[in-house]
Structure formats: C-alpha cells, structure tokens
C-alpha cells in the first residue's frame, strides 16, 4: 500500500453502530456505511477530503433498526413447533430477524431457497406484510438457486413478483427489475427480457449499476458486439466506476458475441495491468479460492461503487481519483472465464496451459479445485476428439489430483490451523523439472498471498523436502496417503457441518478457515466428471480402476442415496460407452 494511503486519516465513527439481526451482525446500511468510509479513506487519502465525498453520497436520513432481543431470537428458532402458519405466532421483531436470516443464505442452494420460500408462503397465508427487500430476496432465490437457470425458474420468479405487487401491495423498483431481467436472460428468454425493459420504461424506472452490467451481458447473449460497446459507453458516461467485475462481464459478453480477439486483447491488458499496479486499498480484485468469499467481497464492492456514481457530478476530482484506484487487473473470476472457454469451447489445451501460466505469476498456489474440475471436464469434452487431450496426460492429471486431494484431507485432520504445506504442481507439466511449488501456511492464512521471488528462494534453502525432484515429492506425498483405510478417509468432511455443535466457536472458525483455504475435495459432481473424462480418453478397465480408487475415498455407504445412484448410473454409462 502506498505511503499516502498508510498515512490517510482514519475515519471517525458517526454515532453508535448497533448490532442487527442475529449473532452480532450489522445492518446492511451500517455495513455499507463502514465499507464506503473505508474505501474513500484509503483511496482518496490526504490528497482530497474523503469525508466530504462520504457525506455527498450517504443520506443523513438513514435510520438503523434496533437489534432484536435475545429471547425473541430464541423464540424464532422454535417456529417448527408452532401451529401453521408459525410466523403468525411470532412478534414482528422476531419475524423480521427470522426472515432476514433465511433470506441471505451463505450458499445459494435450492434447499436454502425452499426454506425461505416456505416462510414467504406462510407470511402470505397469514396476511402479514413484508418489505420490498424480503420480496426481492424471494424473487432472487426462486430464480437463481438451482444452478443452471431454466424457464421454470423464471416463471417461478415472475409469480412471486406478481404476488408482491397484487397480494403484498408493493410495487417493483429497479432492484426487482434487475433481478428479473438477469434471470430472464440467463434462462435464454429474451422476449421476456424485452417485455421487462418495456415495463420499466412505462414506469419510468431505470437500471442501477447491476442492471447496467446485466445489459452488457444481454447484448453478448444476442451476439450484438455494437450493443456491448454502446452499453459500456453509457455505463462510463453515467458516472459508474469500472472495476474488475465490470471487465469480467465485458470478457464474457465479447466471447458470447464471437468477438474473441477483443476479449483476448482486454485480457492481455488486465494481465499487463497486474504487473504494473500495486493495490492501493483493500477493495481490489479478489483472489479468494472460495466462491462464498468471492461473492461476499464482490457484493460489498458493488454496493459501495453504486453509491459512488453521484461523485461524478458533485465532486468530479474525487470521482476521477476513485476510478484510478481501480486499475485494469484480473481476479479469480477472470481466469475462470478463460479456463472455461478453452475447456468447453475451443478445446485448445495449449491456451488452457497459457492461462495456467498467467495464474502462476499471480498466485503462489492457484485455486486448485477450480482448475482440476475444469481440466477434467476438458478431457471429458475433447478426449479422443482433439489431439492434445490424450490418455497419458489424463493419467498425469489424475496422479497430481490425488496428491492434492490427500494433502487437503491431511490439513483438515489437524485440530488447529498450524503451519503446513500447500502443494501446487501444474497438472499438465508434471513431467518437467522445477514445475512444482509449495507454500508454507502460517496460522491465520485465509487468502492465497501474492508470490514473492525472495520468499521462494528462502523456502528452497530452508526446506529440506525441496531437494527432491517435484514429481518424486508429489508421488511420495500421495503414496504415503494411499495406505489409509476407508475409515480414515472422509473427504466430504471438508465441507461437513455435522461436527460444529461439538466444537467451541474458536474451533469452528479454525475449521472454517481450512475449509475455504484452497482445499480440494471429492464429491458427486467431481466424481461424475472424472468418470466421463476416463470414459472419453481411456477404456472400461481404466474407468473401473479410477472408480475403485474414488470409491475408497468417497465411501458411498456414507452418502445420500440420490448421489450414489447418480454416480452409479454414470459409471454404468462409461463402462458400456461405445468407442469410435
């Protein structure tokens, strides 16, 4: 961080910030106020009066909600024991706490959406009012919680929108239309998306920051490169700050529109910018290996930058300095976009390897779970169809994957987050000398730090294990773990919450830290992809061999019946797959 930012005056607390909801969480407005204050103090520093910029975008009329009483929160947890609809038996404050808790699940899964939508249905049956933000959460979860968005998800979301307006008596705002528009274009229902734009025009509603970004993606889906350029120009001229999230949307939109050269040129400029720019604040690109962390940070930055649009007209110098604080640099999502593009579309293993090389210049240990999933999927799509995706390379990738799989299991087995090694070995170049690297974790590591050539040299001198060749070290690490019995190995425990109640809060946080720190695990989706990869590149014998290895790790007898059935059906398909 630059000296000017280090010496920047610390923001003052404007009044007492109250707890919100549950477990000491702050209200969204308190969180937004703090984030905006922090970004302005770090970015504007001493050169400009950051406090005046803060006051120009924050409304003084903001009123923070009082925290619910502890007894009311305890009452809310007993809703399943209450007669239907249970929410009618709770106080207004308890209902609010309960709804807010379920409206923002940490994982956007369909099971989480069903729980919240059931509460919404109970509120409708009980004829109890809900705020627009709670309705918006219901619309979002109904359409985006089931993975790939399909027409049925859009129909469900529109149904909740109609209930909000006709039953709840609350008119949609730009946030609601942004959610619906995003769901419509991701479901491929462009006629519905156009109707939503027409409805917004009738109501004199315009998109906010997120909606403008969605329109860029919309033109990409329509293969309209001119529309993408036009929308981006409108985005900039409206005073919006361009950050890495916006650039990532441009990358995806250009690729979908067939403007591959434009997307690749933008990517090269982002990689070049990474080499030149130092992060001047803590709101820069996210290099988190966990999706939950990435989403949380992106959401936080987006809310702050949406407020900052007003600076262009009110304080143009502040706006210019703030934009300069967000250089053209990549983040984890940037690399995911191009790795996915080459794994699914081009089938160019050489280009895939080139992206991995770029990642190795930024990460000490790249996000391994993401890389292996896309790599195995690439073998499943292009095995025996394109020359580079060979059975030999698949076997090398499989051996490298097993090494990091067992290393992740070993780290999870630690009771406390002590120092240890994270292994990175490029799975596509495991035969080359000097291609492996390790990173010594220190207690408290959460994000993957940026590389340091000096620290790598010190590791080489101090770490006796590095005297082995990279391949020998990886194979030794894997082979030492292979002798473990089925009872010793449970990789799904990496993301299992069943033991949380038996641990103190400190222990739980320590386990959570390891869960999100670049771990690799074996689950239903990864098993199916690996089976497809070996089915495409090898024969039935290799498929069965790899399945027996995964079976001893995954332990089907401990898994859900539906997951086991899906895996067994895929195994059957790949064993009897016709070879051409």
């Amino acid at each position: 961080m630059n000296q000017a930012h280090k010496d920047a005056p610390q923001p003052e607390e404007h009044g007492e910030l109250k707890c919100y909801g549950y477990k000491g969480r702050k209200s969204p407005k308190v969180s937004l106020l703090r984030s905006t204050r922090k970004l302005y103090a770090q970015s504007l520093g001493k050169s400009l009066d950051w406090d005046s910029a803060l006051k120009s975008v924050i409304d003084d009329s903001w009123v923070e909600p009082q925290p619910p009483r502890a007894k009311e929160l305890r009452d809310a947890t007993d809703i399943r024991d209450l007669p239907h609809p249970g929410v009618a038996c709770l106080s207004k404050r308890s209902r609010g706490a309960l709804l807010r808790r379920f409206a923002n699940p940490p994982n956007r899964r369909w099971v989480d959406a069903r729980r919240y939508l059931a509460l919404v249905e109970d509120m409708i049956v009980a004829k109890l009012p809900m705020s627009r933000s709670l309705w918006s959460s219901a619309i979002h979860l109904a359409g985006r919680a089931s993975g790939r968005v399909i027409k049925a998800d859009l129909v469900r979301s529109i149904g909740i929108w109609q209930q909000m307006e006709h039953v709840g008596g609350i008119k949609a705002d730009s946030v609601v239309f942004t959610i619906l528009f995003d769901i419509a274009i991701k479901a491929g229902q462009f006629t519905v998306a156009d109707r939503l734009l027409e409805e917004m025009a009738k109501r004199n509603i315009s998109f906010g920051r997120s909606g403008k970004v969605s329109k860029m993606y919309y033109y990409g889906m329509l293969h309209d490169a001119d529309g993408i350029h036009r929308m981006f120009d409108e985005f900039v001229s409206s005073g919006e700050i361009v950050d890495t999230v916006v650039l990532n949307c441009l990358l995806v939109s250009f690729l979908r529109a067939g403007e591959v050269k434009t997307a690749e040129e933008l990517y090269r400029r982002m990689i070049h910018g990474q080499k030149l720019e130092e992060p001047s604040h803590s709101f820069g690109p996210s290099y988190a290996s966990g999706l939950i962390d990435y989403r949380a940070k992106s959401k936080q930055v987006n809310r702050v930058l949406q407020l900052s649009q007003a600076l262009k007209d009110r304080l143009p110098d502040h706006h210019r300095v703030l934009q300069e604080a967000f250089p053209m640099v990549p983040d984890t999502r940037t690399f995911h976009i191009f790795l996915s593009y080459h794994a699914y579309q081009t089938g160019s293993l050489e280009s895939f390897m080139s992206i991995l090389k770029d990642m190795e210049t930024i990460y000490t240990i790249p996000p391994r779970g993401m890389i292996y999933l896309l790599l195995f999927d690439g073998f499943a799509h292009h095995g025996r169809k394109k020359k580079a995706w060979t059975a030999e390379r698949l076997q090398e990738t499989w051996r490298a994957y097993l090494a990091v799989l067992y290393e992740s299991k070993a780290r999870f087995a630690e009771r406390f987050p002590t120092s240890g090694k994270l292994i990175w070995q490029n799975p596509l170049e495991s035969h080359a000398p000097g291609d492996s690297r390790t990173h010594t974790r220190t207690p408290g590591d959460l994000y993957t730090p940026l590389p340091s050539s000096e620290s790598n040299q010190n590791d080489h001198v101090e770490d006796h294990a590095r005297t082995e060749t990279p391949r020998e070290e990886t194979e030794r690490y894997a082979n030492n773990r292979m002798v473990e019995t089925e009872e010793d190995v449970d990789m799904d425990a990496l993301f299992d919450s069943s033991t949380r109640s038996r641990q103190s809060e400190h222990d739980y946080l320590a386990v959570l830290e390891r869960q999100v720190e670049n771990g690799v695990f074996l689950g239903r989706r990864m098993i199916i992809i690996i089976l497809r990869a070996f089915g495409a590149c090898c024969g039935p014998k290799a498929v069965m061999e790899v399945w027996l290895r995964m079976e001893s790790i995954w332990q089907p007898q401990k898994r859900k019946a539906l997951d086991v059935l899906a895996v067994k059906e895929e195994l059957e398909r790949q064993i009897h797959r016709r070879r051409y």
Side-chain angles (χ1 to χ4, degrees), residues 362-375:
I362 295 177
Y363 299 88
T364 301
I365 305 294
R368 302 176 300 178
M370 175 186 80
I371 291 171
Y372 280 106
L373 187 144
L374 292 174
L375 189 52

Side-chain angles (χ1 to χ4, degrees), residues 20 26-36 39-40 57-58 62 64 104 133 175 209-210 240 243 245 283 295-310 326:
Y20 170 82
K26 302 296 182 291
S27 81
K29 289 184 177 180
V30 168
S31 178
L32 179 58
L33 175 62
R34 285 184 167 177
S35 299
T36 307
L39 173 61
Y40 286 6
V57 299
I58 295 294
W62 278 12
E64 304 306 334
N104 297 286
S133 65
V175 175
R209 178 182 176 86
S210 298
E240 298 288 359
D243 67 339
V245 172
F283 291 80
R295 282 177 176 166
K297 184 170 184 179
S298 298
K299 183 177 180 181
Q300 178 192 37
V301 174
N302 182 70
R303 296 180 66 201
V304 174
L305 295 184
Q306 181 165 304
L307 280 179
S308 304
Q309 176 195 11
F326 285 89

Side-chain angles (χ1 to χ4, degrees), residues 5-65:
H5 300 289
K6 289 182 179 179
D7 297 336
Q10 293 301 313
E12 298 176 359
E13 295 291 339
H14 297 284
E16 182 182 359
L17 297 176
K18 296 182 174 63
C19 291
Y20 170 82
Y22 52 92
K23 291 189 178 180
R25 297 193 182 186
K26 302 296 182 291
S27 81
K29 289 184 177 180
V30 168
S31 178
L32 179 58
L33 175 62
R34 285 184 167 177
S35 299
T36 307
R37 184 189 297 128
K38 184 177 180 181
L39 173 61
Y40 286 6
Q42 292 177 352
S43 301
L44 304 179
K46 286 184 174 180
S47 61
L48 294 169
D49 182 10
W50 62 266
D51 196 52
S52 64
L54 179 67
K55 291 177 180 177
S56 71
V57 299
I58 295 294
D59 187 355
D60 293 334
S61 65
W62 278 12
V63 177
E64 304 306 334

Side-chain angles (χ1 to χ4, degrees), residues 266-279 285 287 327-331 335 354-355 357-363 450-451:
L266 177 57
Y267 171 77
R268 284 192 290 268
R269 291 176 62 186
M270 294 171 73
I271 294 296
H272 182 67
Q274 174 65 44
K275 298 175 182 178
L276 299 178
E277 300 285 347
E278 284 188 25
Y287 296 108
M328 294 180 61
V329 292
D331 65 2
F335 296 113
S354 176
I355 303 298
K357 288 294 185 182
D358 291 336
M359 296 179 73
E360 289 176 341
T361 64
I362 295 177
Y363 299 88
L450 294 178

Side-chain angles (χ1 to χ4, degrees), residues 39-144:
L39 173 61
Y40 286 6
Q42 292 177 352
S43 301
L44 304 179
K46 286 184 174 180
S47 61
L48 294 169
D49 182 10
W50 62 266
D51 196 52
S52 64
L54 179 67
K55 291 177 180 177
S56 71
V57 299
I58 295 294
D59 187 355
D60 293 334
S61 65
W62 278 12
V63 177
E64 304 306 334
Q66 295 290 330
R69 293 188 294 273
K71 181 179 182 302
E72 292 176 328
L73 286 176
R74 288 197 299 271
D75 291 343
T77 62
D78 299 328
I79 189 172
R80 288 175 296 182
D81 300 328
L82 300 176
H84 180 76
V87 290
C89 302
L90 301 176
S91 68
K92 181 179 179 180
R93 192 185 297 271
S94 294
R95 283 197 302 270
L98 183 68
L99 289 167
R100 285 192 296 270
R101 180 162 191 167
F102 284 89
N104 297 286
N107 294 304
R108 196 170 61 196
R109 303 173 304 170
W110 178 238
V111 64
D112 300 310
R114 281 193 316 186
R115 292 186 185 119
Y116 180 64
L117 294 178
L119 288 174
V120 171
E121 186 64 30
D122 286 351
M123 293 289 288
I124 295 173
V125 171
K127 298 182 179 179
L128 293 170
M130 291 198 308
S131 67
R132 184 183 284 110
S133 65
L134 293 175
W135 280 108
S136 300
S137 296
I139 295 170
H140 172 75
L141 289 174
R144 295 296 309 278

Side-chain angles (χ1 to χ4, degrees), residues 413-555:
E414 302 171 1
R415 179 165 178 77
F416 296 102
T418 57
S419 300
K421 286 184 181 179
L422 294 178
I423 296 176
W424 167 249
Q425 180 175 3
N426 191 317
L428 297 176
E429 296 184 348
S430 57
H431 59 281
D435 57 5
S436 178
R437 65 174 71 168
T438 58
H439 168 60
T440 301
R441 296 185 305 125
T442 58
D445 277 353
L446 184 60
Y447 297 108
T448 306
L450 294 178
S452 168
S453 58
E454 182 178 348
S455 63
N456 286 344
Q457 292 172 358
N458 292 336
D459 288 347
H460 183 79
V461 174
E462 295 173 3
D463 189 0
H464 177 70
R466 294 286 295 277
T467 58
E468 298 178 335
T469 65
R471 182 170 183 175
E472 289 172 345
E473 182 179 3
T474 301
E475 290 182 352
R476 175 180 57 80
Y477 204 107
N479 291 335
N480 288 343
R481 298 296 190 277
M482 299 301 179
V483 298
E484 300 187 24
T485 63
E486 293 182 5
E487 291 73 22
D488 291 332
V489 182
D490 185 2
M491 293 309 300
D492 274 10
L494 285 167
F495 289 82
D496 185 17
S497 60
S498 60
T499 60
R500 293 180 184 176
S501 61
R502 300 192 294 270
Q503 304 177 74
S504 67
E505 185 69 11
H506 180 274
D507 287 346
Y508 165 65
L509 292 175
V511 171
L512 180 62
E513 178 185 76
R514 289 195 296 275
Q515 288 173 348
V516 298
E517 189 193 353
N518 216 342
V520 173
F521 69 100
L522 194 62
R524 164 180 163 174
R525 182 185 180 192
M526 181 62 97
I527 291 174
I528 289 176
I529 290 174
I530 292 174
L531 289 175
R532 289 173 180 171
F534 276 87
C537 297
C538 309
K541 181 179 178 181
V543 171
M544 182 55 68
E545 287 176 353
V546 76
W547 161 243
L548 292 176
R549 175 60 60 82
M550 291 190 293
E551 183 182 35
S552 67
I553 299 173
W554 192 48
Q555 302 179 66

Side-chain angles (χ1 to χ4, degrees), residues 524 527-528 531-532 543 547 554 561-577:
R524 164 180 163 174
I527 291 174
I528 289 176
L531 289 175
R532 289 173 180 171
V543 171
W547 161 243
W554 192 48
L562 287 177
D563 292 342
V564 176
L565 179 62
V567 169
K568 291 296 180 68
E569 288 178 348
E570 188 63 40
L571 176 64
E572 190 75 14
R573 278 194 293 268
Q574 297 306 322
I575 288 178
H576 296 92
R577 180 171 179 165

